[in-house]
Amino acid sequence: MSKIISYVKIGLACMLLFTVFSCGEDRNGPLQLESDKMTIMSYLRDNPSYSVLVEALEMTDLSSALNLYGTITLFAPTDRAFRKYLSRHDLAEVSEMEKEELKELLYYHLFDQAYGSGFFISGSLPTATVEGNFIQMDISAGIKNTMLNTTVKVDSLDIPATNGVIHVINDVLEPPTQTIYAWLKDKPEYSILLEAFEKTGLAEEVLDKIDYETAGDGKQTVKWKTVFLETNEVLAKHGIRSFSDLAKKVTEPGVDNPDYTDPENPVNRFVRYHCLDKKYFLSDVTDDYIESFCNNQYLIFSTKQGISINEHGGTKVTMSINKCNNITVNGIVHSVDSLLTIYEPEAVTLIQRFAGEPADRNIVIDGVSQNLADVFGTLTSDPEAQKAVWWLKWEGTMDAVITSEWPANVFGDYCVVVNNNSSAYSLELATKPIFKGTYRVYVTYRRTNNTNYFVQFYWDDEKLGDLTDLASNIDAYGNKLTGTDTKIKRQVGILKIDEMAPHKFKLSLPNPAINYTAWYTLILEPVE
């Protein structure tokens, strides 16, 4: 396993040297050095406080890479920071380290994009380091007091360079070395949950296993998981002081299934309900629901008055913020402050963007990973490439883009913008599974003039209401709406969903007037 991990990291290392900095290539020649003095490397050389870092970069042949054109972020340990690291590892000089070990350590301080402090959040930056792992961030005490991986402080922010940005840190960042399972074995406060994972066989299958996925460029990366755990103290508040107590608590009376490894066993289901098959930092949480490892059972997240899970009947499971975002080599561990039992709601609000969520927009076309916002307009005439966009289909003659920036003073959020279009077109959303219940159906959109603009809405290929004139300031249900050049939320129907399943929502414009229209979201709100 360690050989595989090393292979992946070496691949990422090569990516930094030969791909990330390819933006520094002359179209007619090799990589070019920055002509301006203030590259990242020249800044470090000009400041004696970074002499150890400079030595390390030169030892590992990375110094030239930091002198190239590019967009790089470096978290730069000072000499004092390196001395703390060397002391922890009983080393006198950085030169005593193995070259490859030191290179991997330095890669954990580098990102292949320029991230100023404006990107800092309590969670992680949008991408992994070049080494392949994420860095945990905590800005709860303010950006100027940002903490990394719990113990490393950012001392200086946003030092500009011609090829990126530098942030100064007071210690050396060390990549995670433990799996979720190994991390938990070192934390006696989670011993009851750990025993539950072990008895169900999920300790090895979920917590200790490192899975990989192949990106569009063919490189393998670790597929992360996220787990939500109660401490022994939290369990004790619910009368649970041992694994036996937990098994009794989550097993209904009369159920006799002593095989904890059986996926239908109540303890097994309880444990799998605590796990997600994706990276989910606190900063990723939105008002949404995500399927757990327990098939067809969802964790329902809310950001109202703090981050919580499964809010219902006046109760909710909240996140223990200071015990969350714990990073391991194969995932994230969060701590919750109440018992997280399987919850099956009748109806839950669905908000789905026509432009897709940020993670959706990274699509693969012809084996190449691309951001949908960059290529959306070119896909209109390429039905085969459109298949990479799982949630959206579109037809007709459309001059359309996905944007949050153009024109920024009008549209302001990610949406599908149809530009000055007068030909028939349609957009069809494939929804995620929707909980059973009765819902009011809304569409949010924005238009730039008040020309008559008729739309037919469909649900699972059946008409949803009559042909609708978007120029009307009152919807079919009597709700008053704002005028043009504002974001409008129009009710277009009422639906009863009899079983949890995905559906199709379509809007069709047979003869649109010439104007700009931004389509934001489909919203289903439960009828109280």
Side-chain angles (χ1 to χ4, degrees):
M1 181 64 72
S2 61
K3 288 183 178 180
I4 295 175
I5 297 171
S6 297
Y7 175 79
V8 173
K9 291 180 178 178
I10 289 169
L12 287 166
C14 294
M15 178 184 69
L16 174 68
L17 289 174
F18 301 109
T19 303
V20 169
F21 299 120
S22 62
C23 55
E25 292 182 17
D26 188 309
R27 291 181 185 272
N28 299 310
L31 290 169
Q32 301 293 306
L33 294 181
E34 281 275 12
S35 58
D36 193 301
K37 176 184 176 183
M38 289 305 293
T39 62
I40 290 177
M41 198 65 216
S42 58
Y43 175 85
L44 297 175
R45 285 196 176 110
D46 284 353
N47 289 270
S49 298
Y50 305 102
S51 62
V52 180
L53 177 57
V54 169
E55 179 185 359
L57 290 167
E58 290 177 340
M59 278 179 56
T60 53
D61 303 319
L62 294 179
S63 54
S64 59
L66 296 186
N67 223 30
L68 299 172
Y69 286 103
T71 51
I72 310 161
T73 301
L74 170 66
F75 286 96
T78 61
D79 288 353
R80 180 178 295 181
F82 258 107
R83 283 195 291 270
K84 288 196 285 187
Y85 172 82
L86 293 171
S87 176
R88 282 200 303 272
H89 293 272
D90 296 322
L91 298 169
E93 302 289 341
V94 72
S95 58
E96 297 177 22
M97 297 180 65
E98 293 290 335
K99 181 177 177 178
E100 288 304 316
E101 178 187 2
L102 180 57
K103 183 181 286 188
E104 290 191 4
L105 183 69
L106 294 174
Y107 278 137
Y108 191 56
H109 293 72
L110 285 167
F111 290 83
D112 60 17
Q113 298 185 47
Y115 290 122
S117 60
F119 285 91
F120 288 11
I121 52 178
S122 287
S124 75
L125 290 173
T127 59
T129 66
V130 174
E131 186 267 347
N133 277 297
F134 289 85
I135 293 174
Q136 178 201 44
M137 283 190 161
D138 180 1
I139 63 168
S140 58
I143 295 290
K144 292 183 178 180
N145 297 300
T146 298
M147 298 296 296
L148 307 178
N149 291 356
T150 306
T151 59
V152 178
K153 185 177 183 300
V154 180
D155 281 342
S156 296
L157 296 165
D158 300 323
I159 299 172
T162 55
N163 57 346
V165 62
I166 301 168
H167 306 292
V168 182
I169 53 178
N170 73 346
D171 202 345
V172 173
L173 293 162
E174 300 192 48
T177 59
Q178 296 179 309
T179 63
I180 301 173
Y181 183 45
W183 187 89
L184 285 175
K185 289 178 75 173
D186 284 344
K187 304 289 187 296
E189 62 268 32
Y190 295 102
S191 64
I192 297 176
L193 257 294
L194 181 60
E195 185 176 355
F197 272 95
E198 290 172 336
K199 288 188 180 297
T200 56
L202 296 168
E204 180 177 350
E205 178 184 336
V206 176
L207 302 184
D208 207 38
K209 186 179 180 183
I210 300 177
D211 295 313
Y212 296 92
E213 57 187 352
T214 303
D217 55 9
K219 292 184 174 65
Q220 282 192 314
T221 57
V222 174
K223 181 173 176 56
W224 275 33
K225 306 151 189 171
T226 303
V227 296
F228 302 85
L229 300 176
E230 300 92 337
T231 63
N232 294 348
E233 181 180 2
V234 168
L235 293 176
K237 294 177 182 178
H238 296 269
I240 300 170
R241 292 176 173 79
S242 66
F243 170 76
S244 178
D245 289 342
L246 176 64
K248 292 177 183 177
K249 182 76 173 181
V250 301
T251 302
E252 296 180 5
V255 175
D256 184 19
N257 183 354
D259 182 4
Y260 297 126
T261 64
D262 181 352
E264 295 304 315
N265 179 277
V267 177
N268 192 292
R269 287 166 55 81
F270 172 83
V271 171
R272 285 186 287 118
Y273 189 65
H274 285 63
C275 307
L276 299 180
D277 195 23
K278 64 183 294 183
K279 174 182 75 69
Y280 208 58
F281 284 104
L282 289 188
S283 54
D284 296 320
V285 177
T286 61
D287 294 335
D288 196 8
Y289 52 94
I290 303 174
E291 188 175 20
S292 68
F293 270 63
C294 189
N295 292 341
N296 297 318
Q297 300 296 336
Y298 289 74
L299 295 174
I300 301 162
F301 295 91
S302 172
T303 58
K304 299 172 185 176
Q305 298 180 335
I307 297 174
S308 63
I309 309 174
N310 296 357
E311 182 172 359
H312 61 98
T315 66
K316 58 184 177 181
V317 177
T318 56
M319 311 287 285
S320 302
I321 303 298
N322 62 335
K323 294 181 179 179
C324 290
N325 289 338
N326 297 290
I327 295 176
T328 70
V329 295
N330 62 339
I332 306 165
V333 180
H334 297 302
S335 190
V336 295
D337 67 357
S338 189
L339 192 63
L340 185 59
T341 54
I342 294 176
Y343 168 50
E344 300 188 29
E346 281 288 306
V348 175
T349 297
L350 169 75
I351 301 175
Q352 194 155 338
R353 296 173 185 258
F354 286 92
E357 296 304 317
D360 294 330
R361 297 181 204 126
N362 294 316
I363 62 173
V364 177
I365 300 176
D366 295 330
V368 178
S369 182
Q370 302 183 65
N371 190 302
L372 180 61
D374 296 332
V375 299
F376 186 80
T378 65
L379 299 185
T380 299
S381 58
D382 191 347
E384 187 63 29
Q386 284 184 25
K387 294 178 182 178
V389 186
W390 69 265
W391 70 93
L392 186 67
K393 293 181 181 178
W394 60 103
E395 296 178 334
T397 304
M398 295 172 58
D399 176 15
V401 295
I402 282 182
T403 183
S404 66
E405 300 175 350
W406 180 87
N409 63 327
V410 176
F411 299 121
D413 190 12
Y414 275 105
C415 48
V416 175
V417 179
V418 182
N419 308 328
N420 206 24
N421 196 80
S422 59
S423 300
Y425 71 89
S426 66
L427 300 173
E428 182 180 281
L429 273 176
T431 75
K432 64 196 297 184
I434 301 171
F435 288 90
K436 63 181 181 181
T438 302
Y439 296 85
R440 293 186 176 90
V441 185
Y442 298 88
V443 175
T444 61
Y445 61 93
R446 190 167 192 157
R447 298 174 53 244
T448 58
N449 67 43
N450 206 31
T451 306
N452 291 350
Y453 199 38
F454 290 94
V455 182
Q456 180 64 63
F457 299 102
Y458 296 85
W459 187 261
D460 291 338
D461 299 321
E462 298 290 334
K463 286 185 178 180
L464 184 63
D466 298 325
L467 194 65
T468 300
D469 183 0
L470 296 191
S472 173
N473 290 333
I474 298 178
D475 68 25
Y477 295 85
N479 302 304
K480 291 184 178 180
L481 307 172
T482 53
T484 59
D485 266 358
T486 58
K487 190 173 181 180
I488 294 173
K489 179 181 177 182
R490 180 182 290 270
Q491 185 173 352
V492 299
I494 296 177
L495 290 171
K496 184 178 181 182
I497 307 296
D498 293 323
E499 62 178 328
M500 189 171 187
H503 295 270
K504 292 187 297 183
F505 173 78
K506 182 177 179 178
L507 55 89
S508 178
L509 291 87
N511 187 27
I514 297 176
N515 59 60
Y516 294 93
T517 306
W519 297 102
Y520 292 91
T521 58
L522 165 71
I523 302 174
L524 272 68
E525 293 182 353
V527 174
E528 298 296 335

